[in-house]
Amino acid sequence: MRRLGLVTLTALALTVPPFGATADAAPSGPSGQPAAKAFAGNWKQSVLDPDQNFRGLAAVSRSQAWVSGESLTGGKAKVFRTTDSGKTWKDVTPPGTEGLSFRDVEVNGKVAHVLAIGPGQDSRIYRSTDGGATWAETFRNTDEAAFYDCMAFYPGGQRGLAVSDPVDGKLRILATTDAGRSWKVLPNEGMPASDNEYGFAASGDCLTTVGNTAFLITGGSKSRALRSDDGGLTWTASDNRIPAGESAGGFAGDFADQRHGIAVGGDFADPTDVQDTASYTTDGRTWTGGISLTHVGEDVSFLGGPWTAVAAGDYRGSTGTSLTTDGGRTWTRVSDQGYHAIECLPGGVCWAAGRKGAVARG
């Protein structure tokens, strides 16, 4: 999304709550099913490189995570990896990344992919099979009209998709069927008209998959949730109920299954307007809105069931982390600290990444 392509974020004071044990198990969800273990908002934060703005995050396990970012001063876009629960991080940056913006990182088994966003050849995908020791560039965009925003892989890691802002009035879908070794642009006949509608590169989660289904959360001229059940060839669209605008709409989504999902967003032009910043679905097709976080919603992640999820955001003073235990119907602020990207695991462990090199685990 061009309007968030190379923004330098305003410096804010960081206040991190003390690190402690996670919360007790959350109450049952709306249907009476047990909810996942909740998250207490007890972030343990460290700073890897204050020149990096991290918006890409892959939480592989309780001990392993990857983050990707962009330089705030025009230097290298970097990638870091930890395998010891965040105690130490290794710089595994590909060569030749000066001036790029790594907004998404995806890891499937031993294979890692990072997406650089931007117009024309600034949009690229790199692939590693050895923990980031070496990388191969597997895609470089040659269409000056395209601008890739987000990337996601289906379970197993063989099939994956990436999405670009509209080309010829329709969002463009890039696909791989060989674990990211090669990519091709899919035909656009099955994509609804989407002129001036786009995915936001806020956290790498405007595009997500669950089972054989892909979901795309958009904003701009329209704020929608698009769904594909055939590998990205055809899409159906519905209003995601987050108000649209040039810098507004849905920024990210997550799905516990093909029916239960949450979208979050806001307005980057007015991030302190936190009304109608979240919505949810219980059938994977229609959305209920009118739900407000107390901060901008840049990312959201379920904790292993359809009821418990965490949302986070940090943009120009609108910052915080919030928890839902009823599938997105209501939210409780659990921390004043916020991040651009968040990913949670069953058991209440969450990873986060954000501005000025911040990474956290809680």
Side-chain angles (χ1 to χ4, degrees):
M1 197 285 288
R2 290 169 175 77
R3 285 141 295 277
L4 198 60
L6 295 173
V7 174
T8 301
L9 301 184
T10 303
L12 301 173
L14 297 181
T15 303
V16 183
F19 182 69
T22 55
D24 294 334
S28 297
S31 70
Q33 299 177 17
K37 191 172 184 181
F39 172 68
N42 45 348
W43 293 116
K44 184 178 181 180
Q45 179 176 292
S46 57
V47 174
L48 302 185
D49 182 342
D51 183 52
Q52 290 291 302
N53 179 39
F54 291 130
R55 289 187 180 273
L57 169 66
V60 181
S61 67
R62 297 172 67 93
S63 59
Q64 183 182 173
W66 298 58
V67 295
S68 65
E70 64 192 358
S71 169
L72 297 173
T73 59
K76 291 183 178 180
K78 292 187 178 181
V79 182
F80 291 86
R81 176 190 181 214
T82 181
T83 57
D84 58 7
S85 301
K87 296 180 180 68
T88 61
W89 292 80
K90 184 177 182 180
D91 186 339
V92 293
T93 301
T97 65
E98 289 80 3
L100 295 181
S101 178
F102 285 144
R103 294 295 185 94
D104 201 350
V105 56
E106 302 287 333
V107 180
N108 296 274
K110 295 182 179 180
V111 183
H113 314 263
V114 290
L115 171 70
I117 71 161
Q121 295 191 32
D122 287 345
S123 284
R124 308 175 191 180
I125 298 175
Y126 295 82
R127 181 178 188 265
S128 176
T129 59
D130 55 11
T134 61
W135 295 86
E137 183 182 307
T138 55
F139 171 76
R140 183 179 295 204
N141 174 46
T142 58
D143 188 338
E144 290 300 320
F147 185 114
Y148 285 86
D149 300 300
C150 300
M151 173 177 62
F153 281 78
Y154 292 89
Q158 283 296 118
R159 298 183 298 138
L161 305 174
V163 61
S164 164
D165 287 352
V167 177
D168 297 327
K170 292 185 176 183
L171 291 159
R172 172 170 287 182
I173 301 297
L174 186 72
T176 180
T177 57
D178 58 6
R181 295 179 181 87
S182 63
W183 296 81
K184 66 177 182 179
V185 174
L186 295 183
N188 69 0
E189 288 83 358
M191 175 64 72
S194 45
D195 197 23
N196 294 320
E197 178 183 7
Y198 28 76
F200 282 81
S203 62
D205 285 330
C206 67
L207 179 66
T208 186
T209 62
V210 57
N212 291 318
T213 301
F215 291 94
L216 173 57
I217 305 299
T218 70
S221 63
K222 299 175 183 176
S223 188
R224 300 195 289 184
L226 286 78
R227 173 179 175 142
S228 176
D229 295 298
D230 60 3
L233 290 172
T234 62
W235 298 80
T236 57
S238 56
D239 189 339
N240 68 34
R241 305 299 178 184
I242 299 173
E246 183 179 359
S247 300
F251 297 159
D254 195 30
F255 292 79
D257 51 48
Q258 283 97 332
R259 298 181 61 192
H260 296 87
I262 294 173
V264 296
D267 186 349
F268 283 123
D270 185 10
T272 59
D273 180 359
V274 296
Q275 297 299 309
D276 302 327
T277 46
S279 61
Y280 68 90
T281 179
T282 58
D283 62 7
R285 300 183 186 278
T286 59
W287 292 77
T288 300
I291 300 162
S292 300
L293 303 172
T294 57
H295 50 81
V296 66
E298 292 189 276
D299 207 359
V300 61
S301 181
F302 282 96
L303 283 95
W307 311 119
T308 307
V310 180
D314 180 10
Y315 191 74
R316 293 185 177 175
S318 182
T319 181
T321 303
S322 295
L323 173 74
T324 180
T325 57
D326 56 14
R329 292 161 176 80
T330 61
W331 293 84
T332 301
R333 175 184 281 259
V334 293
S335 175
D336 290 335
Q337 183 58 49
Y339 297 91
H340 299 319
I342 183 172
E343 190 167 348
C344 300
L345 301 166
V349 173
C350 295
W351 292 88
R355 61 186 173 87
K356 300 180 80 69
V359 294
R361 182 180 182 275

